[in-house]
Amino acid sequence: MTVSLSDGAANRVACHPMYAHIVTLPGDGIGPEVTAAAVEVLSAVGRRFEHEFTFQDHLIGGAAIDAGGHPLPPETVAACRQADAVLLGAVGGPRWDGGDSEVRPEQGLLGIRRELGLFANLRPIRVLPELVGASPLRPEIVEGVDILFVRELTSGIYFGEAGTKDGTSYQVMQYTAQEVERIVRVAGDAARARGGKLTMVDKANVLEPSRLWRKVAAELVAVEYPDLDYDVVLVDAMAMYLVSRPGDFDVVVTSNLFGDILTDEASMISGSLGMLPSASLGSGGPGLYEPVHGSAPDIAGAGVANPLAAILAAAMALRHSLDLEGEAAAVEAAVAAAIASGLRTPDIAAGGASVGTGEMTATVIEALG
Ligand code: IPM
Ligand code: MG
């Protein structure tokens, strides 16, 4: 089986103008605000490049629990399966904490990833030159950093058997060789298309599933990617290297839990979680695009959320699901132009003057032309 970086739609012949149906899952907290910003930008892309995009909102997370008691209604799953791409805002918030584990908002997100078979989560960490000062790390450490994290998304401890019995809790970490192979292939393809360097992160000195990762990845790389500069790093050491020498990494592939933790850490390289998009892809069907950030309930509804992660996620949808590379690059350039013009939302303003979600979005759209 060939696993490509696209979700299959890329095999379509690009014809202009194109029609695409996009399902939006705004979710909770700042999710609706940043999703609306991404939809505005995609609508502007449609007008500028003469594509017809249709959008349809569906429930997920806490919003879905409030409406019908379940974080992932079957109608939502069915609608996503019919879509060309899915845009998600964020899920979760203190309002739904403390409920039993099956009705947590996060189960909606894990459920849709699993239902759509989105095993490959791409999280690019790039530092715009103007935002070097927004990082808590020293400029010489973050300048020029360009890492692509490839996180396994539908297996591992996140989906292992779990339970609590007689005051003891457990959750099983497990991986099959096939699950490791397919994610390493996605990362290998990406590394080949980028800087030619691939780093696999595990905890093989302690964990049995990590030893499987190490063996399977090494064999696969030797046979299918002998041209890559391949390296393995233990996850604890990686946590250190991400803040001491992040510039040494190109593509990093790792398991579900390690990828979750390391990408939050890596977000600080770029200054704010509010800047980071992600794409979750499978080997058929629509991809799902979301900011790496969470629902930020403390600022929800205040109109100050940074919309750029959601907008950059929409750019990834244009690239990976709709095969519109030129349009994706135009959105990324418009985001860079908005930042270069000096505009900052509070999360990247380093205490200086800032604008709200609406003004930042309007500026990106203006920069699109
Ligand atoms: C992420 C988030 C999710 C995860 C949560 C909200 C379930 O932290 O996408 O990184 O742990 O995968
Ligand atoms: Mg996370």
Side-chain angles (χ1 to χ4, degrees), residues 91-92 106-107 109-110 113 121 123 151 153 158 256 259-261 263-264 278 290-294:
V91 295
E106 289 79 3
Q107 287 302 321
L109 181 55
L110 300 182
R113 289 171 178 172
N121 184 221
R123 297 188 163 185
R151 170 190 174 192
L153 203 59
Y158 269 59
N256 206 343
D260 177 49
I261 298 167
T263 52
D264 262 33
S278 84
E290 57 175 314
V292 173
H293 65 66

Side-chain angles (χ1 to χ4, degrees), residues 16-333:
H16 294 264
M18 84 169 284
Y19 166 77
H21 179 58
I22 296 162
V23 162
T24 47
L25 307 176
D28 310 320
I30 60 170
E33 300 159 57
V34 298
T35 305
V39 166
E40 274 183 57
V41 170
L42 283 178
S43 302
V45 167
R47 287 192 299 275
R48 153 120 201 251
F49 295 90
E50 297 182 4
H51 303 303
E52 191 190 344
F53 299 142
T54 55
F55 302 93
Q56 194 183 36
D57 262 6
H58 282 275
L59 291 168
I60 197 166
I65 294 174
D66 288 351
H70 194 278
L72 185 63
E75 308 84 79
T76 295
V77 177
C80 289
R81 287 193 205 286
Q82 299 303 314
D84 293 303
V86 180
L87 294 187
L88 185 134
V91 295
R95 223 146 65 67
W96 302 280
D97 281 347
D100 81 56
S101 64
E102 283 313 300
V103 295
R104 288 188 63 92
E106 289 79 3
Q107 287 302 321
L109 181 55
L110 300 182
I112 194 69
R113 289 171 178 172
R114 184 84 168 185
E115 287 287 338
L116 298 180
L118 305 172
F119 67 88
N121 184 221
L122 311 184
R123 297 188 163 185
I125 310 283
R126 245 174 243 126
V127 183
L128 292 175
E130 296 86 357
L131 289 184
V132 163
S135 173
L137 300 175
R138 284 202 307 274
E140 66 269 28
I141 290 183
V142 302
E143 254 155 18
V145 166
D146 184 357
I147 306 175
L148 176 67
F149 276 88
V150 179
R151 170 190 174 192
E152 199 290 325
L153 203 59
T154 52
S155 186
I157 195 167
Y158 269 59
F159 294 93
E161 194 195 325
T164 299
K165 206 177 157 203
D166 303 331
T168 301
S169 284
Y170 62 94
Q171 184 140 343
V172 175
M173 178 185 283
Q174 60 182 36
Y175 270 106
T176 67
Q178 186 258 342
E179 286 168 340
V180 176
E181 268 172 22
R182 66 182 181 178
I183 192 70
V184 172
R185 271 201 192 99
V186 170
D189 289 349
R192 199 171 260 164
R194 290 171 43 108
K197 194 169 169 194
L198 177 62
T199 304
M200 196 273 285
V201 175
D202 64 23
K203 186 69 185 172
N205 53 346
V206 176
L207 301 175
E208 188 68 19
S210 282
R211 290 193 269 274
L212 179 80
W213 270 74
R214 198 164 278 210
K215 177 173 174 290
V216 169
E219 285 169 7
L220 186 91
V221 170
V223 174
E224 296 181 25
Y225 301 93
D227 51 310
L228 295 182
D229 173 1
Y230 177 67
D231 203 6
V232 292
V233 175
L234 292 171
V235 65
D236 47 352
M238 189 67 185
M240 181 171 65
Y241 298 153
L242 278 178
V243 291
S244 58
R245 49 179 186 88
D248 288 355
F249 299 97
D250 177 13
V251 176
V252 176
V253 64
T254 192
S255 60
N256 206 343
L257 179 63
F258 297 160
D260 177 49
I261 298 167
L262 291 177
T263 52
D264 262 33
E265 185 193 2
S267 75
M268 284 298 106
I269 297 168
S270 72
S272 170
L273 208 46
M275 295 297 299
L276 299 184
S278 84
S280 304
L281 309 175
S283 42
L288 182 140
Y289 302 86
E290 57 175 314
V292 173
H293 65 66
S295 59
D298 51 325
I299 58 163
V304 295
N306 187 343
L308 297 180
I311 290 170
L312 290 168
M316 292 185 90
L318 291 168
R319 172 173 297 122
H320 295 289
S321 280
L322 309 182
D323 198 22
L324 296 172
E325 173 58 35
E327 287 79 343
V331 171
E332 287 162 353

